Amino acid sequence: MEAKLGEFDLIWRFFKAGSESMAQTQTDQVLLGIGDDCALLGPDAVQSLAVTSDMLVEGRHFFSNANPQWLGHKALAVNLSDLAAMGAKPIGFTLALALPHADSTWLAQFSQGLFRLAQQWQCPLIGGDTTQGPLTICITALGHVPFGAAIKRSGANVGDDIWVSGTLGDARLALGALRSEWPLNQSSLEAVLPRMHEPQPRIALGMQLRGIASSALDVSDGLLGDLRHILNASQVNAEVLIDQLPISCTLAEQTEHLRRQCAANGGDDYELCFTVPTSKRMEVESLSTTLLPLTRIGSISSASNGTEPLLILRDANGNQLTAADSVRLMQSFDHFKSN
Ligand code: ADP
Ligand code: MG
């Protein structure tokens, strides 16, 4: 029997390989293709164009009775978050929508959530496509970034600090409570629900990190799994202080197991995880006081020299977690393997 194909194996085997085999026919306009938060196109020598697509599917990414206003917000937020991860400034977006039926109340609320966020970041809707079908929302966002200034996943260097913005794990805590995976009292649930429904793309931070961060990505599938993408792309190993991950007061009240699971492995946070040389630590600390809290969670320890990158987890006392605990914490979300 064929082994279960994961999301990334699938993309790499059938799409990245195909796109690379076209390399000779490609123009030199494609500066960066599949594998990062955005593709980069080089229309001129001053600005690069950053392009990203993300899709939300009913029953997979949201419950069928989801509030349409939140959906409109989230569909755009997850795309703007990918622009933020590259340090790009939003320019505009397209919207491809499959709808089971045309419900004007639903559409009014959906567009309200969508345009409120679009307005906040001066990012207009510039086109799209609409069809009947199972509710699916696909947005493609475009941004620009000065030539050579985009922050890629592949730039992390040995000795760099690893940082993360805001707090991690609340979206997963809320989702687990809604799915009855664990109990959560009403006031705690209300405190964490906005993190699940209305994530805030860290665009201002991403733009400020140009010239400071050596690599970055947005945390969409869980911190440790996503950090692995940086390690793979940069060919480096890392150490992370698992009890140093920034969490909200609400998550801090939960058991150690739940705290660690949600913070290390919970998806849908849309914070930025980035690496910075130690010589620029003060610049990050200053952004942390002016923009939003930024926390140092570990470091890039060594080069992986072409082998599978190592991610070592340490507890509050600096002790390395057991292999079993590490494995449990490192299972980030994969749309196909988790079926
Ligand atoms: P992100 O979570 O940042 O949106 P993904 O994990 O969804 O990124 O995707 C990883 C990389 O694979 C990205 O560069 C993305 O553009 C690319 N990718 C995903 N699906 C496809 C596809 N069907 N065809 C081509 N590239 C894809
Ligand atoms: Mg991303």
Side-chain angles (χ1 to χ4, degrees):
M1 202 177 102
E2 196 186 1
K4 212 166 185 182
L5 202 55
E7 180 183 346
F8 299 102
D9 309 330
L10 177 166
I11 297 169
W12 255 240
R13 191 164 138 198
F14 295 102
F15 300 121
K16 188 170 163 71
S19 109
E20 280 171 359
S21 70
M22 284 179 54
Q24 287 123 336
T25 55
Q26 243 169 30
T27 65
D28 54 8
Q29 296 281 300
V30 180
L31 305 176
L32 184 68
I34 296 171
D36 218 305
D37 292 291
C38 297
L40 293 173
L41 307 177
D44 62 51
V46 182
Q47 302 268 23
S48 299
L49 190 63
V51 184
T52 180
S53 280
D54 257 300
M55 182 158 54
L56 299 186
V57 177
E58 179 176 343
R60 188 73 209 178
H61 300 98
F62 55 89
F63 297 111
S64 11
N65 60 351
N67 175 324
Q69 204 168 322
W70 288 337
L71 269 185
H73 174 102
K74 190 161 178 176
L76 180 57
V78 300
N79 279 277
L80 297 186
S81 175
D82 278 324
L83 292 181
M86 305 290 292
K89 184 175 191 294
I91 307 174
F93 68 100
T94 63
L95 169 66
L97 198 55
L99 291 169
H101 48 262
D103 173 340
S104 52
T105 311
W106 189 94
L107 283 161
Q109 291 176 13
F110 174 81
S111 54
Q112 201 180 352
L114 182 77
F115 285 117
R116 194 184 293 160
L117 183 64
Q119 207 144 35
Q120 187 185 339
W121 295 106
Q122 304 284 297
C123 182
L125 177 61
I126 55 168
D129 192 26
T130 307
T131 179
Q132 194 172 29
L135 183 55
T136 306
I137 308 155
C138 181
I139 285 182
T140 297
L142 308 168
H144 61 213
V145 57
F147 182 83
I151 312 165
K152 301 177 190 167
R153 295 178 178 182
S154 56
N157 295 304
V158 175
D160 286 356
D161 292 324
I162 304 172
W163 293 81
V164 74
S165 63
T167 60
L168 297 170
D170 279 355
R172 184 68 184 88
L173 182 64
L175 178 67
L178 294 180
R179 283 184 181 161
S180 305
E181 287 175 56
W182 43 74
L184 194 64
N185 65 47
Q186 191 58 29
S187 66
S188 296
L189 180 61
E190 278 165 20
V192 292
L193 270 180
R195 289 302 308 270
M196 179 181 158
H197 291 311
E198 294 186 299
Q200 299 302 317
R202 302 304 188 192
I203 293 164
L205 174 63
M207 288 166 61
Q208 293 280 347
L209 286 175
R210 293 175 193 160
I212 297 177
S214 51
S215 72
L217 50 57
D218 64 322
V219 180
S220 52
D221 295 338
L223 175 79
L224 297 183
D226 284 336
L227 177 58
R228 274 200 172 275
H229 296 316
I230 288 188
L231 304 187
N232 275 316
S234 303
Q235 299 270 298
V236 289
N237 303 318
E239 294 204 1
V240 166
L241 301 165
I242 205 72
D243 295 317
Q244 217 132 296
L245 301 184
I247 54 175
S248 67
C249 308
T250 313
L251 186 52
E253 287 164 5
Q254 312 306 314
T255 61
E256 181 188 75
H257 174 69
L258 195 52
R259 277 199 315 266
R260 282 181 170 177
Q261 269 298 339
C262 288
N265 202 17
D268 265 8
D269 289 316
Y270 299 100
E271 294 294 350
L272 296 188
C273 172
F274 52 97
T275 58
V276 177
T278 51
S279 58
K280 293 187 174 159
R281 217 176 251 183
M282 276 174 63
E283 293 170 53
V284 183
E285 279 160 4
S286 138
L287 287 178
S288 180
T289 55
T290 54
L291 269 183
L292 83 162
L294 305 172
T295 308
R296 191 148 51 88
I297 59 163
S299 62
I300 301 296
S301 48
S302 52
S304 60
N305 296 323
T307 58
E308 177 73 11
L310 281 174
L311 180 50
I312 290 174
L313 306 181
R314 295 192 185 279
D315 66 14
N317 301 316
N319 296 323
Q320 198 172 326
L321 261 60
T322 62
D325 281 348
S326 299
V327 166
R328 260 190 316 140
L329 276 175
M330 284 189 210
Q331 286 159 347
S332 85
F333 192 78
D334 181 308
H335 282 281
F336 291 91
K337 285 191 169 157
S338 59
N339 265 327

